[in-house]
Amino acid sequence: MDESRPLSFREDVRSLLFRLLLSVVSEREPSLAAVLVGTEPLDTLDKKQRICALQATGIWFQLVTIANELLAMRARRELEQVGGADEIVGSFSNVMGEIASAGYPAEEVQAALDQLWVGPTMTAHPTEAKRVTVLEIHRRIYRKLTELEQHRWAPREREQHVNDLASEIELLWMSGELRLERPSVEREIAWGLHFFREVIFEATPRIYETAQEALARHYPEYDLKVPSFLHFASWIGGDRDGNPNVTAKTTAYALDACRQAIIGWYIQQVRRLVTLLSVSANVVDIPEDFGKALERLLRSTGAASAVMARNPGEPLRQFAAGMLERLRAMRSESMAEPYVRADTFNADLSELENVLVRLGGSLTARRLIRPLRQQVESFGFRTVSLDIRQNSTVVNRVLAELFGQIAGGDSPQPETGPWSARLRSELQSGRRPVFDRATLSDEARELLDLFDVIREASADPGAGAIGAFILSMTRSCDDLLAVYLLAQYSGLATAADGSGTINLRVVPLFETIADLRAAPDILDQLLGLSIVRRSVREFANRQEVMLGYSDSNKDGGFLASNWELSKAQRRITALGVKRKVKISFFHGRGGSVSRGGAPTGRAIAAQPAGTIDGVMRVTEQGEVVSSKFANRGTGLYQLEILAASVFAHSVKSRNESQLKDNPEFNEALEALTGMSQATYSGLIRESGFIDYFNQASPVEELSLLKIGSRPARRFGARDIADLRAIPWVFAWSQNRHLITNWYGIGSALNSFVGVRGEAGLDLLRQMFERSRFFRLVVDEVDKGLYQTDMEIGRLYASLVQDSEVGERIYRKIAAEYELTRKMIAEVNGGLALSERFPSFKRHFDQTRPQMDAIHRLQVQLLREVRAQDGKSASPKRAVNALLLSINCISAGLGWTG
């Protein structure tokens, strides 16, 4: 065999990684080789071997994920090589080809592009179990594998690459997975920025280039232009809902860190221009107007002579050097006049681009300057727009305290008539009281300090450093007005008499089923107020609305959550038409299906017709960030699928039959939702359910896993209502019940058919074929059922102290599982679970045997850790083994919550 041939020809990537891991493990723990090859179950090992065995298995799961990413990239490349870029389903080329084939005119395509605005939003929910150190090793392994695959190496060179791979796996073993301490918010900020520096900064202009190439391919006779439509946001350092670790100082730190990250990137890129732009005035004629622009720029550096002396006769290099000095001055590294606004920097880049084009260097301009200009248009001097999030309970409590100080201790209570009247009269007056902060509570002082930070960062509205103020648990118009009033009190009003606007985007977050149903009325009241309407007009006459997938699922189950989200979007969009305000939606999706984590392209394609209209924000939460943006190939693909799907929906959705409003289908979905929610609620209300949840899952032990700065509960209560949706989903995935993916749907389908007979079943099958929404629900339930294992679940049920409670609730869940399997098969044509998703099935089957053993071991470890009963500290080795088992199961499933 030719040893120099690329990896894709001479050895399967998984086999190579497994062989190298086996070698690393065998050198250190020879007895664990049998665990890796599958001849000895992990749960039968001696207690001393557990941690190493779990560590080895966890590393293997990580390597499988890396291999799968590489193989997916390889498959896409091979498709493109054979059939062209149009063969990559969901890509810009594929989407643009479908649009062109359907006869959409170029003018309509350009109009859709002009309004395209896609906002991936990074969050640091407590779901990312991997440390940055580990992520960096993963990235190096991926890059080394791509090098092995893409190049022809001599045997000696190839052996060195393989040894480098083994070295990285060795480092992975020695680094360990568990954090020794919970990450600070500052570390989470650094974690988020890591993906921008490594992937996103560079990937963003390549997405625009890909879209432009697709236009040229399918609309070659038209000069269509792709704007810079990606605009990133972040919650990391701004989300304080239930997280006491996020303070005003933390938010100020996050704003500065994000600003420094992009300035550092620009310095690096402009320094590269200084190196590369060796255009000589002795070879080409430099336009006179460029010479004048160069003089102006060099004057602003305060070192014109020095810059010209370093690069004599090379005006473009001199120009880039002058820009570099101004950028360095933004970090106090130069005496030049610093750039104040990003558009000034972009204007200088335009001078460079234009002169290159005029000198015949169009390709050079396109390769070196245009990507940097596009980065400036997307990232400004901020990297991200930092959203601020707080809970309505906190906002109202603080405002009540401020009212009390104004009135000498007398304050109306929230959710009363006097409270509503006070809010409106204060906003109408425009006044800004001076508060004695020394006498306020820590909570009130902290919130006022936060608004000070917001005001200072919003001084230049064009900078976009502050995104939106997201109000969690929005339950009334008054809740939103409380934020507007706090902003007014803090100096964010443009007029002292109440006749101006509030310089803050206030975005409601509707999370529960009841809140989703109330949302249109709440917004109707809000948009009926003149100060709100004036303020919204200042933000392009667009009201953003955030939709919570997590809490609505916890509240009503999977089907009820998704149907209520769909209905809310249609009703709110109609309200926007009535109020003559553009509505855009911010989708709070997570990693798991139950938290909205369906495949991006399909999830967007299933949104109600006309509800996206070119603008969409979506959260990228926790482990989703690292799974999508850990390497450039995957990052490019994920960003392209997201943006192309938003574009496709905006152009086509109103004309697609699978999205058309069908009264018969809607009536059926209403009935199904009601029955599903009733079944789900019946389980939640079952006597002993809370004990079952706490004892038949590692939910309490999750707090020991130091994977996020935020507590698992908002206000510290011990009931399910206060538990965050993320650990709720996390716990049900750890015990393989996965009820958040499917519970209640089997009973709903069965009851529907029981009442309507064969006609009802025929209708459900029609819905599966003709309704994109219903098909997505059925398909995701199908996949959730495949990952569910009630035999494993029975082991966890045995942990419940009251055996009657454990057996009763387990039987209830198991019965619903079997019924749901049966009914999904009835609807989708009798297919076996996940038969329609061979790639998903294959990936999960790769790790299922090891997963089963880890679950059995986790149950043993839960018994051991809990046996201490608080009388003494749980044995450290047992606790660490338990935490490693949690990490392993998360890695095997591909998500935490």
Side-chain angles (χ1 to χ4, degrees):
M1 183 180 291
D2 181 0
E3 287 289 324
S4 67
R5 298 191 73 189
L7 177 63
S8 57
F9 288 101
R10 68 171 306 277
E11 187 172 16
D12 178 80
V13 62
R14 293 192 195 97
S15 299
L16 172 64
L17 291 173
F18 185 79
R19 177 167 59 82
L20 295 177
L21 175 61
L22 193 62
S23 173
V24 168
V25 171
S26 296
E27 284 183 17
R28 287 151 184 80
E29 298 287 341
S31 61
L32 296 185
V35 174
L36 280 177
V37 299
T39 57
E40 185 169 359
L42 190 149
D43 56 306
T44 63
L45 293 176
D46 181 88
K47 290 184 178 181
K48 294 180 180 178
Q49 295 179 296
R50 288 171 171 175
I51 289 179
C52 288
L54 284 164
Q55 184 176 351
T57 307
I59 291 173
W60 172 235
F61 287 175
Q62 295 168 36
L63 295 176
V64 166
T65 299
I66 294 170
N68 288 341
E69 287 184 17
L70 184 72
L71 293 171
M73 175 60 70
R74 178 196 295 174
R76 292 193 293 270
R77 283 202 181 108
E78 289 173 352
L79 266 177
E80 189 168 346
Q81 286 168 355
V82 173
D86 286 14
E87 292 298 309
I88 310 299
V89 175
S91 68
F92 265 114
S93 191
N94 172 257
V95 163
M96 214 67 77
E98 290 180 351
I99 288 172
S101 297
Y104 286 92
E107 296 78 13
E108 195 169 331
V109 170
Q110 185 63 67
L113 284 168
D114 289 342
Q115 66 181 12
L116 190 61
W117 196 100
V118 182
T121 301
M122 310 299 175
T123 76
H125 284 249
T127 59
E128 174 52 86
K130 293 186 287 294
R131 300 155 55 205
V132 170
T133 298
V134 171
L135 292 170
E136 288 173 341
I137 296 173
H138 288 181
R139 177 167 163 73
R140 293 197 297 269
I141 290 172
Y142 181 91
R143 292 181 70 177
K144 189 60 64 176
L145 286 169
T146 59
E147 288 175 15
L148 272 171
E149 182 181 51
Q150 293 175 1
H151 299 281
R152 294 181 64 88
W153 303 105
R156 175 180 51 80
E157 293 171 320
R158 186 183 186 285
E159 183 180 1
Q160 182 59 54
H161 281 296
V162 171
N163 287 339
D164 289 344
L165 262 180
S167 168
E168 296 294 354
I169 294 172
E170 192 174 70
L171 273 175
L172 201 54
W173 175 273
M174 292 189 290
S175 297
E177 282 191 75
L178 295 179
R179 287 188 170 102
L180 299 179
E181 59 185 20
R182 191 174 296 279
S184 65
V185 182
E186 288 77 12
R187 284 189 182 179
E188 289 180 329
I189 292 165
W191 169 86
L193 290 173
H194 163 85
F195 297 101
F196 283 90
R197 292 188 180 100
E198 295 296 328
V199 174
I200 296 172
F201 286 153
E202 186 174 338
T204 297
R206 290 182 62 186
I207 296 296
Y208 303 144
E209 183 180 14
T210 300
Q212 193 69 57
E213 289 169 352
L215 284 173
R217 187 175 298 116
H218 293 291
Y219 287 89
E221 66 275 27
Y222 297 97
D223 184 25
L224 301 181
K225 300 297 183 185
V226 175
S228 297
F229 52 72
L230 285 169
H231 303 274
F232 294 84
S234 176
W235 284 14
I236 310 173
D239 180 10
R240 62 243 309 120
D241 179 13
N243 189 351
N245 300 307
V246 180
T247 64
K249 288 183 178 179
T250 309
T251 298
Y253 173 86
L255 288 164
D256 184 63
C258 293
R259 177 178 170 84
Q260 293 304 321
I262 190 60
I263 291 170
W265 176 266
Y266 293 151
I267 287 172
Q268 178 184 332
Q269 301 309 305
V270 174
R271 189 168 277 140
R272 179 168 172 260
L273 294 181
V274 173
T275 302
L276 295 176
L277 291 178
S278 54
V279 178
S280 173
N282 295 324
V283 177
V284 298
D285 293 326
I286 303 299
E288 183 179 348
D289 56 344
F290 179 77
K292 292 178 179 178
L294 175 60
E295 288 178 17
R296 288 194 302 272
L297 175 62
L298 292 182
R299 276 199 303 272
S300 69
T301 68
S305 299
V307 171
M308 295 181 72
R310 284 198 301 270
N311 308 287
E314 296 176 326
L316 274 67
R317 183 172 270 166
Q318 292 169 0
F319 197 94
M323 294 171 64
L324 180 61
E325 289 303 305
R326 295 196 67 181
L327 286 169
R328 292 178 63 240
M330 297 176 72
R331 288 182 156 186
S332 301
E333 296 172 357
S334 166
M335 298 302 292
E337 179 185 327
Y339 285 113
V340 176
R341 297 176 63 94
D343 55 8
T344 308
F345 175 45
N346 203 19
D348 283 347
L349 286 170
S350 293
E351 289 281 1
L352 266 183
E353 184 177 25
N354 291 336
V355 75
L356 274 169
V357 171
R358 290 159 69 186
L359 293 173
S362 297
L363 288 176
T364 302
R366 180 179 174 183
R367 183 172 67 93
L368 297 182
I369 312 298
R370 188 177 302 170
L372 186 50
R373 287 195 59 213
Q374 290 168 329
Q375 286 164 350
V376 176
E377 290 162 2
S378 287
F379 302 107
F381 282 154
R382 64 184 182 275
T383 297
V384 295
S385 293
L386 186 67
D387 285 342
I388 309 298
R389 186 168 79 135
Q390 185 53 283
N391 195 284
S392 61
T393 302
V394 174
V395 168
N396 287 331
R397 196 160 55 214
V398 168
L399 190 56
E401 186 176 344
L402 297 180
F403 281 166
Q405 188 178 96
I406 293 170
D410 182 31
S411 170
Q413 291 302 302
E415 301 181 39
T416 65
W419 176 267
S420 295
R422 181 72 178 274
L423 285 169
R424 286 159 176 77
S425 66
E426 289 289 288
L427 282 167
Q428 194 169 17
S429 73
R431 70 171 178 150
R432 183 184 176 188
V434 177
F435 297 104
D436 181 3
R437 299 195 183 191
T439 64
L440 293 173
S441 66
D442 290 344
E443 182 178 63
R445 204 161 41 244
E446 171 58 36
L447 192 55
L448 289 180
D449 288 347
L450 167 65
F451 272 94
D452 289 343
V453 172
I454 294 172
R455 185 187 65 250
E456 292 167 11
S458 303
D460 178 6
I466 294 293
F469 191 108
I470 311 287
L471 188 66
S472 298
M473 291 298 172
T474 298
R475 295 197 162 125
S476 69
C477 174
D478 285 357
D479 288 344
L480 295 161
L481 293 182
V483 179
Y484 276 105
L485 184 53
L486 283 170
Q488 176 180 298
Y489 282 172
S490 301
L492 284 159
T494 60
D497 62 356
S499 64
T501 62
I502 304 295
N503 185 27
L504 181 66
R505 286 198 302 121
V506 181
V507 173
L509 169 49
F510 298 112
E511 301 179 75
T512 67
I513 298 293
D515 295 341
L516 287 168
R517 290 171 177 167
D521 289 340
I522 292 171
L523 289 165
D524 196 19
Q525 294 175 48
L526 183 74
L527 294 172
L529 297 169
S530 57
I531 189 168
V532 173
R533 286 295 301 273
R534 291 196 301 270
S535 300
V536 169
R537 275 198 293 270
E538 289 300 305
F539 292 102
N541 197 37
R542 182 176 295 281
Q543 174 64 55
E544 185 174 79
V545 177
M546 185 168 183
L547 304 170
Y549 286 68
S550 309
D551 281 278
S552 58
N553 181 289
K554 182 163 74 81
D555 191 31
F558 184 60
L559 178 58
S561 169
N562 279 275
W563 181 235
E564 293 298 337
L565 285 161
S566 179
K567 287 196 302 180
Q569 288 178 75
R570 291 200 297 271
R571 293 174 62 205
I572 293 170
T573 300
L575 170 69
V577 174
K578 168 189 164 184
R579 287 289 184 183
K580 296 182 173 58
V581 170
K582 292 178 283 188
I583 299 290
S584 61
F585 293 103
F586 181 7
H587 296 259
R589 304 168 67 219
S592 62
V593 168
S594 51
R595 296 188 54 243
T600 299
R602 292 195 65 198
I604 293 173
Q607 299 305 311
T611 58
I612 293 179
D613 207 24
V615 181
M616 185 180 189
R617 273 223 282 165
V618 60
T619 52
E620 305 289 4
Q621 297 185 357
E623 83 284 352
V624 174
V625 176
S626 57
S627 70
K628 288 186 176 181
F629 304 114
N631 63 73
R632 288 172 191 163
T634 304
L636 272 168
Y637 174 70
Q638 293 292 342
L639 285 174
E640 182 177 2
I641 292 297
L642 172 62
S645 298
V646 171
F647 175 73
H649 190 283
S650 303
V651 173
K652 300 190 300 179
S653 67
R654 289 184 175 87
N655 299 317
E656 292 185 297
S657 61
Q658 289 186 323
L659 292 179
K660 286 193 180 301
D661 212 29
N662 185 315
E664 187 179 20
F665 289 2
N666 291 348
E667 181 190 3
L669 282 163
E670 283 293 324
L672 289 167
T673 295
M675 291 182 283
S676 173
Q677 187 175 4
T679 303
Y680 178 86
S681 298
L683 175 67
I684 303 301
R685 291 195 299 266
E686 181 83 16
S687 173
F689 177 79
I690 293 177
D691 289 338
Y692 185 92
F693 171 65
N694 286 327
Q695 295 170 25
S697 76
V699 64
E700 295 300 328
E701 288 76 14
L702 288 179
S703 62
L704 301 172
L705 192 62
K706 299 175 174 62
I707 58 174
S709 68
R710 196 170 69 168
R713 299 176 189 272
R714 275 191 167 98
F715 301 114
R718 307 306 296 172
D719 62 359
I720 288 174
D722 189 53
L723 183 75
R724 291 188 181 277
I726 295 166
W728 169 257
V729 175
F730 202 159
W732 288 116
S733 65
Q734 288 286 312
N735 65 16
R736 291 287 286 283
H737 287 47
L738 273 77
I739 68 166
T740 55
N741 283 34
W742 53 264
Y743 196 90
I745 292 174
S747 288
L749 295 170
N750 187 57
S751 297
F752 189 85
V753 174
V755 171
R756 302 200 184 188
E758 282 299 316
L761 181 57
D762 183 60
L763 177 59
L764 292 174
R765 288 171 176 167
Q766 288 182 50
M767 291 165 63
F768 180 69
E769 292 298 327
R770 293 166 48 195
S771 166
R772 198 173 287 168
F773 169 84
F774 188 66
R775 189 183 188 91
L776 180 65
V777 167
V778 170
D779 286 348
E780 294 308 312
V781 169
D782 181 340
K783 291 191 282 187
L785 290 169
Y786 190 74
Q787 290 188 312
T788 302
D789 191 320
M790 292 313 298
E791 288 305 310
I792 294 294
R794 182 184 289 278
L795 299 177
Y796 286 89
S798 70
L799 293 168
V800 179
Q801 293 174 5
D802 187 328
S803 58
E804 185 277 329
V805 169
E807 184 63 23
R808 171 166 45 85
I809 294 180
Y810 170 78
R811 284 201 309 269
K812 191 177 184 73
I813 295 172
E816 182 68 16
Y817 168 76
E818 292 299 334
L819 180 60
T820 307
R821 286 189 60 158
K822 173 179 175 292
M823 294 310 301
I824 289 296
E826 291 278 358
V827 171
N828 71 11
L831 299 174
L833 288 179
S834 284
E835 187 175 336
R836 294 181 56 245
F837 311 103
S839 177
F840 167 85
K841 184 176 183 295
R842 183 172 59 253
H843 289 172
F844 186 66
D845 287 348
Q846 287 168 0
T847 57
R848 187 188 285 270
Q850 297 100 319
M851 288 270 288
D852 291 350
I854 295 168
H855 282 294
R856 291 192 294 268
L857 176 58
Q858 188 179 85
V859 171
Q860 295 176 28
L861 291 165
L862 284 167
R863 290 189 198 280
E864 291 175 22
V865 171
R866 292 172 181 177
Q868 300 301 312
D869 199 26
K871 295 174 184 175
S872 62
S874 300
K876 186 176 180 181
R877 289 187 67 84
V879 171
N880 285 344
L882 174 61
L883 300 184
L884 277 170
S885 74
I886 291 172
N887 272 2
C888 282
I889 291 168
S890 299
L893 288 171
W895 41 267
T896 51

